[in-house]
Structures are given as structure tokens and as C-alpha cells.
Amino acid sequence: MSPIPLESLEPTELPNPNFDESHLLLKRITSATDLTGNESVDGKCRDKKLEVLYDGYFYDVTEFIKRHPGGNIIELYENGEDATIAIQQFHYRSLKMVLARMKGLPKRPATIEEIGLPTDVKARHDELTKDFLALTAELESQGLMDADPKRFLIRILQSLIMFTCGLTMSFCLGDRSFIFRTVSIILMTLAGGQYLWLGHEGGHNSFTGNPKIDRIVQIFSFGFVFGLSASSWNSTHSEHHAMPQHETKDSDLKTMPLIAFNKRLVRDPKQGSKFWLHYQHLLFVFCDTLIVTLTWKFNHHLKFVINNKCWLDLFCMVCHYSLVPVLGLVDWMLITWFGSIYVLGNLILSHTHLPVVEQGKKLHWVEYSLYHTTNIRSSWWVDWWTGHLNYQIEHHLFPTMPEYKNKLCRDKVKAFAKKHGLPYHLCSYWEAVKSTYFNLEHVANELRHL
């Protein structure tokens, strides 16, 4: 996909209302927070001029950021990082509308000095961009970026059957048989995890190709089945996709003071002395996953939907909590706990054991995906168990590609990486589990000896 020149769009062209992303994310996040709810530097109000680099021009987004549907992700690119591919990939299904909006923003040509890259690095990044756009165009021509509503329907029906069977079994037979009660918990745990994978894909608009439909499915999946807000999740997840493993900009690394995936993330030595961090490799499964999930449910996500008036999210969340009397508090807590282990335990496998990107270092979109992401080798059960998120390299390169198609372009991505001397990390599922566990243990040991 080559960049669409803004000059090719007529000044009178209006965005297609069917792709108006301001309706997809009901309200933008007003501040970035860590697990404790503290406001981060990126979330604070700014008085200075804010510009974003796109296709050789700096665009003034100082005022636009206040109404940007995607929240504060624009601020990640304030220091001259090139946002060209990020904008094209995040807005793949509505790019023409986005560029039409950008045409109304003040812009100026970017100089080499302002971009701030050494000549050789700039040349390498330009070559990566050229070849990446060619690769994207090739995948487009093969239909790999096209959504498949039929496959989406099969997946959602599969999860709905599991969820319905588990709920019915709990309501009708749970009090009579321990076996039925156990099976009910297992089914609802698996259904909840699968719905989270579905909701994740809906957030990337890769279900049906219609962002409004995908958005509604995502809100239902997150809210009714798992009790979380899709809008709250969306507000930070793009930060992770933009700069995975960046020590200050990746939202998935903002887990202090409960978990530290790298020693560099511990800014305050006093925090490094906490019991939670010293034994995080032992506590992650048994305590940390549940604490994180409950913190999301009853603090971050609940506050977000109320403060930002995300009423559909709130309605689905209320429907979820109305199931507690049906399931019983103990069973609901068990489903929440096992579900948090299932979801969070899988989400941390593809990044957290890899090195972090130091503050001030500028990487290309492709370099973030290949240096700081790993794939998990495919098999029928790994693909299902992870919701096809085992191909994280391809998913980060092409976030709006339907996730089951990621493995169909792996050979082309491997060849691309080899051509540019970039790594292509691949391991088995259990190797990823071991690497993640030993990384948590290694960081814990480092913190104990501070």
C-alpha cells in the first residue's frame, strides 16, 4: 500500500460517515494511567505545539489531539518519530477519510535535522518503508487484508455455544453435581477467553470489514462476557501496537508496582524492594493475574466508562454482573480468576521476555515488530488456544489483517526480515512459557540485589 498523496484528495471531499472513527471509540481517554491509577507524563495536559511526521511533512495536531478518537497515541510520535506507516496501518480501513481530515491541518516540510536520525539510519528506514509498502501491496493483491465475515460468524457461534452451555449447566445442574459445576466453570472460562480474543480482533476492525459492526461485537465480547470495557481497552492498546517494549510508551509494560518485566521499568529503588516484585515469578499465576483483572473491572474500566459516558460499554458490563447471582459469587470468582490466568498468561508470551526499547531511541515500525516480538509455532491447538495471536510479528506489522491469515504471510515476512538483516523470532508454546517465567524470575532476582 503506497502512501496516498493528500493533494490527490479534492478539498470538497467529505469523509464517508460509514467509516467515521469518532463513532467507534465513544470518548477518547483523558489520561494515561499505570496499575495504581497514577497519571503518566504522556497523559498530562500540554501547552506546547505538537506535530506529527507523516510522509515527509510535520502536521500540527495541537488542537486535533483533543478530539482524536484514538486518544493520546499521537503523543508517542512527538519527538520526530515517523508516524507514516502507523497511521496507514491503524487506519487501514478508513485511510482515505483520515487523510482528508489531515489535509485540513497546518503542515510544513520536515528537515533532516528535525527528523533527528543519522544519515545511514535514515537511509535504512527509507529502504524499510519502501519494501514494506511493496509487501503490503502484494498481500493486498492476494486478499490477505480482506475480512471474512463467515469465518467470524463460526468463531462467535462456537464461543456462544460454550458460554450458553456453561451458564445453563451452572443454573440447572450446578447445585446437584460437583462434576457439572466443574464443567460449567471450565466452559465459561474458555468461552470468556475466546470472547476476549474475538473482542481483540473486533478492536482491530478485522471481523467483517465494517468498523461499526466490529465495534459492537467487541463491546459485547468485552462487556457482557468478561465484564470489561472495550472503549477503555482500545484507548491504550494502540500504544502497545505502536511501540511494543518501549520502556515508557508501551502500555503493556505499565504494570508497576505489581509486576516488572524488566529492571529498567523500576524507576524508584523503593518500589524495587517490594515483596510483590521479589516473588513475581511465583505470584503471577496465583495472585497477580486476578489482581490485575479485578483492578481493571472495578477501577480503571468502570471509571473510564462513567467519565467518558460509554453507555453501551456500561450496559454490557452491568449485564455481566447480573450473572453473579445465577453463577454464585464463588463460581464467578473462580471463572474470573481462571479466565485472567488464561488471557493474561497468553498475552505476555510474545513480548515481555524480550529487551525493552530505551527512551529516546527511534525505531522503524518494522524494527519494533521484528526485534521486540516473537511468534509461537503454529499447531491446531495453539492457534485455537491463543485465538491466532501466536503470530504476533505479522499481527504487529499488519494489525488490521484478520488474525487467522497472519500465518499465510509468514514466509514472505521471513524473507523480508532476512533481506534487511532483521531477526524473526520463533519458538514453541512451551518455550515461550519458559522464557517468560525465567524472565520474571531473573528480574525478581535482580531487584532483590539492588
Side-chain angles (χ1 to χ4, degrees):
M1 177 180 61
S2 58
I4 299 176
L6 299 188
E7 289 72 11
S8 68
L9 299 176
E10 295 297 329
T12 57
E13 180 177 2
L14 296 177
N16 185 340
N18 292 329
F19 295 95
D20 186 352
E21 293 184 352
S22 63
H23 295 293
L24 307 182
L25 184 55
L26 305 182
K27 291 288 182 177
R28 64 178 289 273
I29 190 169
T30 54
S31 64
T33 55
D34 58 19
L35 270 179
T36 63
N38 296 324
E39 186 179 13
S40 69
V41 174
D42 287 338
K44 296 180 180 178
C45 296
R46 298 173 179 271
D47 298 323
K48 65 180 183 179
K49 185 176 181 180
L50 182 61
E51 294 181 313
V52 168
L53 178 62
Y54 180 86
D55 198 19
Y57 287 86
F58 277 112
Y59 287 80
D60 186 345
V61 294
T62 308
E63 294 301 319
F64 175 72
I65 192 174
K66 299 174 184 177
R67 60 184 188 276
H68 179 230
N72 294 328
I73 184 174
I74 291 177
E75 295 181 349
L76 302 186
Y77 293 92
E78 66 174 334
N79 295 319
E81 284 94 343
D82 194 340
T84 303
I85 294 180
I87 290 173
Q88 292 172 359
Q89 289 298 324
F90 285 137
H91 301 288
Y92 177 79
R93 303 193 189 281
S94 55
L95 184 59
K96 193 174 183 180
M97 180 207 73
V98 171
L99 296 182
R101 288 182 174 179
M102 288 177 62
K103 190 174 182 181
L105 300 175
K107 70 174 183 178
R108 61 183 181 83
T111 65
I112 296 296
E113 292 75 17
E114 289 176 312
I115 294 175
L117 292 174
T119 304
D120 59 330
V121 176
K122 177 67 167 58
R124 187 178 78 247
H125 284 195
D126 289 344
E127 189 69 17
L128 282 172
T129 297
K130 183 187 73 171
D131 287 353
F132 180 76
L133 294 177
L135 174 60
T136 304
E138 182 181 358
L139 299 180
E140 284 177 332
S141 68
Q142 296 174 353
L144 295 185
M145 300 298 291
D146 297 338
D148 186 350
K150 291 181 181 179
R151 190 179 183 96
F152 147 72
L153 183 61
I154 293 172
R155 288 183 64 192
I156 200 168
L157 286 176
Q158 165 203 277
S159 301
L160 183 61
I161 290 171
M162 282 196 299
F163 182 83
T164 303
C165 289
L167 184 61
T168 303
M169 199 175 295
S170 174
F171 181 73
C172 298
L173 303 170
D175 293 336
R176 303 178 189 177
S177 168
F178 175 77
I179 294 177
F180 281 119
R181 185 180 178 186
T182 301
V183 173
S184 168
I185 292 173
I186 292 173
L187 284 175
M188 294 197 70
T189 297
L190 292 174
Q194 289 296 313
Y195 264 112
L196 256 292
W197 304 146
L198 287 167
H200 171 270
E201 187 155 3
H204 286 288
N205 301 327
S206 54
F207 271 154
T208 66
N210 185 316
K212 288 185 177 180
I213 295 176
D214 290 355
R215 180 81 178 118
I216 291 172
V217 173
Q218 185 199 19
I219 291 174
F220 171 81
S221 299
F222 272 71
F224 178 70
V225 181
F226 218 79
L228 298 175
S229 164
S231 297
S232 179
W233 178 84
N234 284 347
S235 67
T236 57
H237 185 62
S238 293
E239 297 177 9
H240 164 67
H241 264 273
M243 298 181 181
Q245 290 298 99
H246 192 288
E247 63 176 341
T248 62
K249 297 181 178 181
D250 182 357
S251 59
D252 283 15
L253 295 183
K254 296 176 182 178
T255 53
M256 290 289 294
L258 192 61
I259 306 165
F261 294 111
N262 190 287
K263 180 182 175 181
R264 291 184 59 87
L265 303 176
V266 183
R267 310 292 182 186
D268 185 351
K270 291 182 180 180
Q271 284 189 325
S273 64
K274 301 297 183 181
F275 172 84
W276 291 105
L277 295 179
H278 289 181
Y279 297 95
Q280 61 180 4
H281 54 299
L282 302 176
L283 298 173
F284 181 82
V285 170
F286 298 107
C287 300
D288 292 351
T289 51
L290 180 61
I291 292 172
V292 169
T293 301
L294 293 178
T295 301
W296 284 348
K297 285 176 180 281
F298 299 118
N299 184 33
H300 294 356
H301 287 221
L302 188 59
K303 285 181 179 178
F304 185 95
V305 297
I306 293 174
N307 292 339
N308 295 281
K309 301 179 181 179
C310 304
W311 303 131
L312 184 56
D313 290 61
L314 182 60
F315 173 76
C316 289
M317 292 169 70
V318 170
C319 290
H320 168 82
Y321 295 116
S322 70
L323 297 177
V324 175
V326 178
L327 296 169
L329 181 61
V330 173
D331 286 10
W332 179 83
M333 282 294 295
L334 287 172
I335 293 169
T336 300
W337 181 31
F338 294 150
S340 67
I341 295 171
Y342 175 26
V343 173
L344 296 179
N346 280 304
L347 288 178
I348 68 171
L349 297 181
S350 295
H351 300 282
T352 59
H353 53 88
L354 296 172
V356 298
V357 181
E358 298 180 12
Q359 176 69 10
K361 189 173 183 180
K362 296 180 180 180
L363 296 183
H364 191 276
W365 172 272
V366 168
E367 292 174 325
Y368 271 113
S369 299
L370 288 167
Y371 277 122
H372 300 282
T373 311
T374 188
N375 280 355
I376 297 173
R377 193 170 289 111
S378 176
S379 69
W380 69 267
W381 74 267
V382 171
D383 292 351
W384 181 85
W385 177 253
T386 62
H388 297 279
L389 286 174
N390 46 320
Y391 281 91
Q392 282 284 310
I393 292 175
E394 288 75 12
H395 177 57
H396 272 259
L397 288 172
F398 311 102
T400 60
M401 177 184 287
E403 287 159 12
Y404 79 94
K405 292 184 177 181
N406 288 334
K407 66 180 179 181
L408 302 180
C409 67
R410 59 187 172 185
D411 291 338
K412 295 183 184 299
V413 172
K414 281 183 183 179
F416 175 91
K418 183 177 181 180
K419 176 182 177 180
H420 291 276
L422 296 171
Y424 186 93
H425 301 295
L426 178 66
C427 63
S428 71
Y429 183 85
W430 298 115
E431 286 171 339
V433 170
K434 288 190 291 184
S435 295
T436 302
Y437 172 82
F438 288 132
N439 177 66
L440 287 170
E441 182 181 37
H442 174 70
V443 175
N445 289 334
E446 285 186 315
L447 296 177
R448 279 201 294 269
H449 294 91
L450 278 179

